[in-house]
Amino acid sequence: MSSRLPRPASSPDRLGPLPNLKRKAVDQLEEDDGIGPLKMSALSHPSKPGSTFRPPRPLTASSSNIPPSNIGTTKPRVPPIRSGGPGVNGRSTNAPIPKSTRAVSAPPPKSTRPTTASGARYGAARVKTEAAAIGPDQIQDLREEIKDLRAEQAAKNAKVAEDMDVEKLKVLELQQLHAQQDERLLQARTAESESRRLVADLQEKIEDLQKKHSREIMTCEMDQSRLQRQIESLKDDLRVSEADLRRERDTISSLKTAIAEQSTAQVTLEARIAALQAASGNIQGKLDESDMNAGRLKFELEQERQRTSELEDKLREAETLRRKLHNTIQELKGNIRVFCRVRPVLPSELTSSPSGSELAAISFPDTKEHREISIVSSAESATGVGRKENWEFAFDKVFEPQATQAEVFEEISQLAQSCIDGYNVCIFAYGQTGSGKSFTMEGGPTEATAGMIPRAVEQVFSVAAALKSKGWEYKMEGQFLEIYNETINDLLGKGEFDKKKHEIKHDKGSTRVTDVVTVPLESPSEVRSLLMLAHSRRTVASTLMNERSSRSHSVFTLRISGTNGVTRETCEGTLNLVDLAGSERLNSSGAAADKDRLKETQNINKSLSALADVIGALGEKSERNEKHIPYRNSKLTYLLQNSLSGHSKTLMVLNLSPLAAHLGESLCSLRFATKVNNTTLGTARKQARVVS
């Protein structure tokens, strides 16, 4: 930055031409002496009378610049004084005499002479006269004064140079100061820019804080509103609590009154207690004596219980042994086992007409083994004489009306287990319409009322699971068929009935039906689902004897195949569970009035008659008498051929009605069951083989 300081007055570009030194010297002398202008005549003619001559004074500093060579000239010129001192920027400059050191010359005297050419000549002559009047001494003085002035000028020039150096230093300092100021200004501008950026950031933060503050205010207002609602709710609760408190206080007050009354009563009771304690002391003594007797009796009772438990264990072991021996005898004989079950009276039968609800005289004489059943019938002859008839029948097991499904299955469970061992097992229910065959085989919806089919399947799955530890693995599959009007229907099929023709095939002791759905079974619950499906598709109708009468024979077949991974032995068993249609008469069932019911009844009775013929033929058959067995007379007997021919274990469950109106059908069923029970079949064979 350039300096703005004023240039010194002694700068060379400010020096003008030096004035006439002589004139200045005269003017200085006039000023110092306080006299007016010198008269040139007096200087030029000092010898004239009347003139005053003054010797010349020493010249002032302004007059010492006149060189000797210029004396006597009209216009003397003083050469510039060159100073050896350093000038600006280290160069030698012609330092002029500062304005403060110049001699101030007196103003020239006012001349009255004319300004014409003659006046000019007069002035020139006068100058020459004055120059001639100065002597050598005065010139020498002037030279000395000039020399002094030069020395003084040199000193002043040195001082001026020194002052210039100082000024230069000041200028440098000012330049440095300006540089610092520029740097500070730049820093200030940078700081200002940074401040503006910070201000912008602060403004953004302030806006964010304002937004956040607004949200917080909104949240606080919402919280305040919620708290206000809570306060209102608490106030309501407080009012309710205050009401409860007042009510409780009233209750406490009433309780205090009651306690006071009780305290009075307590005093009375304590007196009574004291009397009773005295009496209880006597009673306690008697009680201790009774405790001693009770302890002795308890010990005796424990001994009796142990004896009873031992006897019961022996009795169970004996019963188990008896059952096993009986099963062995039945297998050796090859007889069909027959159970008889009398159903209980239904509530609807109790509320019907007196003639229809009369019970038959059925009794059970054998109270230990439960193998006998007795029926008594009273009637009047044509002559009016009363006649009483008594029929007694014996079977493998007889179940009274109060017998449960579990008790019935307990006797059947051994046969169901034989299916796992590789035997073919057939269990079929026989009886008149409404005698409880379907309930015995299929059961009700609860676990307690489950029938023989689901219980037998559960027994089979349970035994199969227990035999896994011995290396046996079993696969099971089931099918459900219906024989309706001598036609086989698949109750598990997806299409309509009678769309497919099913044929029965016998091969090496096993029976197969073509084109039927066979379902793999993994659990007993799947069997229940199959039973529900089959039950919904089975053919039923309403008759006079039963509101929901089965008009067909149903056959559930469970096939079991097992393999032992240790012994390499395999076995195949089949469990056939048959629910036969009820035997009935046309007059008692009312089927004669309906064409469809008539045809159904004829086919049912035909198949049951064929079953009786097959069993009769089996009873007459012997080793020497090879009599023809009419299995093909009915689809039912042909389907059960392997179950009736001695290759399987067969059980017939006879179901009876307890009503007197059904006594005739019950007697026919009992006679048929007795015939079946007396039939001798071949010994059952186990379907097993060893895999090489």
Side-chain angles (χ1 to χ4, degrees):
M1 184 171 65
S2 61
S3 175
R4 296 181 180 272
L5 294 178
R7 296 177 180 269
S10 59
S11 178
D13 56 354
R14 297 285 181 99
L15 294 178
L18 294 176
N20 194 324
L21 297 180
K22 178 180 177 182
R23 184 67 188 171
K24 286 185 177 183
V26 175
D27 292 340
Q28 185 68 32
L29 291 176
E30 290 176 351
E31 184 180 357
D32 293 339
D33 293 340
I35 61 174
L38 296 177
K39 296 181 178 180
M40 295 301 296
S41 58
L43 292 174
S44 302
H45 307 280
S47 60
K48 288 182 179 181
S51 63
T52 303
F53 175 80
R54 292 182 180 180
R57 293 184 59 187
L59 295 174
T60 61
S62 59
S63 61
S64 61
N65 292 327
I66 302 174
S69 59
N70 293 334
I71 296 174
T73 64
T74 305
K75 293 181 181 180
R77 292 180 60 91
V78 181
I81 300 172
R82 300 183 181 274
S83 173
V88 180
N89 297 328
R91 293 193 298 257
S92 175
T93 60
N94 296 328
I97 299 173
K99 194 181 267 187
S100 60
T101 56
R102 294 177 183 176
V104 180
S105 61
K110 296 181 180 180
S111 175
T112 58
R113 293 185 298 268
T115 57
T116 58
S118 60
R121 288 192 299 268
Y122 171 78
R126 185 182 175 184
V127 171
K128 291 180 181 180
T129 304
E130 288 177 357
I134 297 174
D137 295 334
Q138 292 177 349
I139 292 173
Q140 185 65 31
D141 293 338
L142 290 173
R143 287 178 177 175
E144 290 179 359
E145 287 180 5
I146 290 170
K147 184 179 181 180
D148 294 337
L149 289 174
R150 287 180 176 174
E152 185 179 357
Q153 183 67 32
K156 289 181 179 181
N157 289 337
K159 185 176 180 181
V160 169
E162 183 179 356
D163 293 339
M164 290 294 293
D165 293 337
V166 173
E167 292 298 329
K168 289 179 181 179
L169 293 176
K170 290 181 179 181
V171 169
L172 291 176
E173 291 177 356
L174 289 174
Q175 290 177 351
Q176 294 177 358
L177 181 60
H178 280 288
Q180 293 177 358
Q181 289 177 352
D182 293 339
E183 184 178 358
R184 291 174 183 174
L185 180 60
L186 181 60
Q187 293 178 353
R189 290 177 179 174
T190 305
E192 181 182 1
S193 176
E194 185 68 23
S195 299
R196 289 178 180 176
R197 187 179 61 79
L198 292 176
V199 167
D201 294 340
L202 289 175
Q203 287 179 351
E204 292 180 359
K205 291 182 179 179
I206 289 171
E207 291 177 357
D208 294 339
L209 289 175
Q210 287 177 350
K211 293 180 181 178
K212 183 178 179 182
H213 184 61
S214 299
R215 290 194 297 270
E216 291 178 352
I217 289 175
M218 187 179 298
T219 304
C220 291
E221 289 177 353
M222 294 175 63
D223 294 340
Q224 183 179 3
S225 176
R226 187 177 65 257
L227 291 175
Q228 188 68 26
R229 291 194 298 270
Q230 291 179 357
I231 289 171
E232 294 296 331
S233 177
L234 290 175
K235 286 182 179 179
D236 295 338
D237 294 341
L238 181 60
R239 285 192 291 270
V240 174
S241 300
E242 289 177 351
D244 294 340
L245 181 60
R246 287 193 295 271
R247 186 173 60 255
E248 294 297 330
R249 285 177 178 174
D250 295 338
T251 305
I252 291 172
S253 178
S254 61
L255 288 175
K256 287 182 178 179
T257 305
I259 289 173
E261 295 175 355
Q262 293 295 330
S263 299
T264 305
Q266 183 180 2
V267 175
T268 305
L269 291 175
E270 286 178 354
R272 292 181 182 178
I273 289 171
L276 292 175
Q277 285 178 351
S280 66
N282 298 328
I283 296 174
Q284 186 66 34
K286 295 179 181 179
L287 184 61
D288 293 339
E289 184 178 356
S290 299
D291 289 340
M292 294 176 63
N293 294 331
R296 179 174 52 81
L297 293 174
K298 188 181 292 185
F299 178 73
E300 293 177 357
L301 180 61
E302 270 311 308
Q303 290 181 343
E304 292 298 328
R305 285 179 177 175
Q306 289 180 359
R307 292 195 202 99
T308 303
S309 178
E310 292 175 358
L311 291 175
E312 288 178 351
D313 292 340
K314 291 180 180 180
L315 182 61
R316 281 193 293 269
E317 292 176 358
E319 180 66 19
T320 303
L321 180 61
R322 184 197 65 77
R323 290 180 180 180
K324 290 181 179 179
L325 293 175
H326 177 73
N327 187 32
T328 303
I329 292 172
Q330 292 297 326
E331 287 183 355
L332 293 175
K333 289 182 178 181
N335 290 346
I336 301 176
R337 303 180 64 187
V338 179
F339 290 169
C340 179
R341 183 182 188 184
V342 181
R343 71 168 177 82
V345 181
L346 301 178
S348 59
E349 296 171 344
L350 295 176
T351 58
S352 62
S353 61
S355 59
S357 61
E358 185 178 354
L359 300 179
I362 301 176
S363 61
F364 306 94
D366 187 4
T367 57
K368 294 182 179 180
E369 299 293 334
H370 299 284
R371 293 185 178 182
E372 297 178 359
I373 183 173
S374 176
I375 298 178
V376 178
S377 174
S378 299
E380 292 184 2
S381 63
T383 60
V385 179
R387 184 178 61 181
K388 186 176 183 180
E389 295 180 351
N390 186 14
W391 296 274
E392 293 183 356
F393 301 93
F395 301 103
D396 294 293
K397 196 71 175 179
V398 176
F399 298 99
E400 299 179 13
Q402 64 270 18
T404 62
Q405 296 278 68
E407 292 175 355
V408 176
F409 180 72
E410 184 179 359
E411 299 295 332
I412 301 177
S413 59
Q414 292 183 357
L415 288 177
Q417 186 171 357
S418 298
C419 184
I420 295 291
D421 298 334
Y423 292 95
N424 291 334
V425 178
C426 179
I427 302 174
F428 63 92
Y430 180 86
Q432 67 188 41
T433 299
S435 60
K437 301 184 300 299
S438 298
F439 179 80
T440 299
M441 299 305 294
E442 298 179 6
T446 62
E447 291 291 334
T449 59
M452 301 303 106
I453 294 177
R455 290 178 184 270
V457 171
E458 289 183 1
Q459 175 79 8
V460 168
F461 274 98
S462 177
V463 174
L467 292 176
K468 282 186 178 181
S469 60
K470 298 181 181 180
W472 284 96
E473 292 290 338
Y474 291 92
K475 293 182 180 180
M476 304 179 190
E477 57 184 15
Q479 67 181 26
F480 217 127
L481 304 178
E482 177 189 57
I483 301 176
Y484 175 69
N485 290 340
E486 291 299 309
T487 301
I488 297 177
N489 295 326
D490 186 5
L491 295 179
L492 303 181
K494 297 181 180 179
E496 297 181 0
F497 292 156
D498 301 333
K499 294 296 182 181
K500 293 182 180 180
K501 184 178 180 181
H502 304 287
E503 297 181 358
I504 301 172
K505 303 290 185 181
H506 297 290
D507 182 21
K508 296 180 181 180
S510 63
T511 302
R512 299 283 177 176
V513 180
T514 61
D515 295 329
V516 296
V517 176
T518 303
V519 181
L521 301 176
E522 300 293 338
S523 64
S525 60
E526 296 181 359
V527 178
R528 296 192 188 97
S529 301
L530 295 181
L531 290 177
M532 293 176 62
L533 176 61
H535 184 73
S536 64
R537 304 185 66 180
R538 190 176 177 185
T539 305
V540 295
S542 176
T543 64
L544 295 178
M545 301 183 67
N546 190 4
E547 182 178 356
R548 182 180 173 85
S549 175
S550 300
R551 312 307 296 167
S552 62
H553 309 296
S554 67
V555 182
F556 173 76
T557 303
L558 179 66
R559 293 189 179 90
I560 304 171
S561 59
T563 304
N564 193 315
V566 179
T567 62
R568 309 294 295 174
E569 183 181 3
T570 62
C571 67
E572 295 180 357
T574 303
L575 176 62
N576 291 313
L577 300 171
V578 185
D579 179 15
L580 298 176
S583 62
E584 56 188 25
R585 297 178 182 178
L586 295 177
N587 295 330
S588 60
S589 64
D594 191 315
K595 179 181 178 181
D596 294 334
R597 301 291 86 78
L598 176 61
K599 183 178 180 180
E600 292 170 356
T601 304
Q602 290 174 349
N603 285 303
I604 290 171
N605 292 335
K606 176 184 176 182
S607 60
L608 294 177
S609 299
L611 178 62
D613 294 340
V614 168
I615 291 176
L618 289 172
E620 296 175 1
K621 180 181 178 181
S622 62
E623 294 181 359
R624 296 180 181 180
N625 184 14
E626 293 292 337
K627 186 176 180 179
H628 171 69
I629 308 298
Y631 290 115
R632 293 180 179 270
N633 289 351
S634 171
K635 291 289 183 66
L636 175 64
T637 55
Y638 192 52
L639 181 64
L640 300 178
Q641 177 178 344
N642 288 327
S643 299
L644 299 175
S645 60
H647 298 294
S648 66
K649 296 182 179 182
T650 305
L651 172 65
M652 172 181 171
V653 180
L654 173 63
N655 292 269
L656 298 178
S657 171
L659 301 180
H662 302 159
L663 183 60
E665 290 292 336
S666 297
L667 289 174
C668 291
S669 299
L670 287 169
R671 292 189 184 101
F672 177 72
T674 301
K675 183 179 179 180
V676 172
N677 194 35
N678 294 330
T679 301
T680 302
L681 301 179
T683 304
R685 295 191 296 269
K686 184 177 181 180
Q687 304 293 324
R689 63 181 183 274
V690 178
V691 180
S692 59

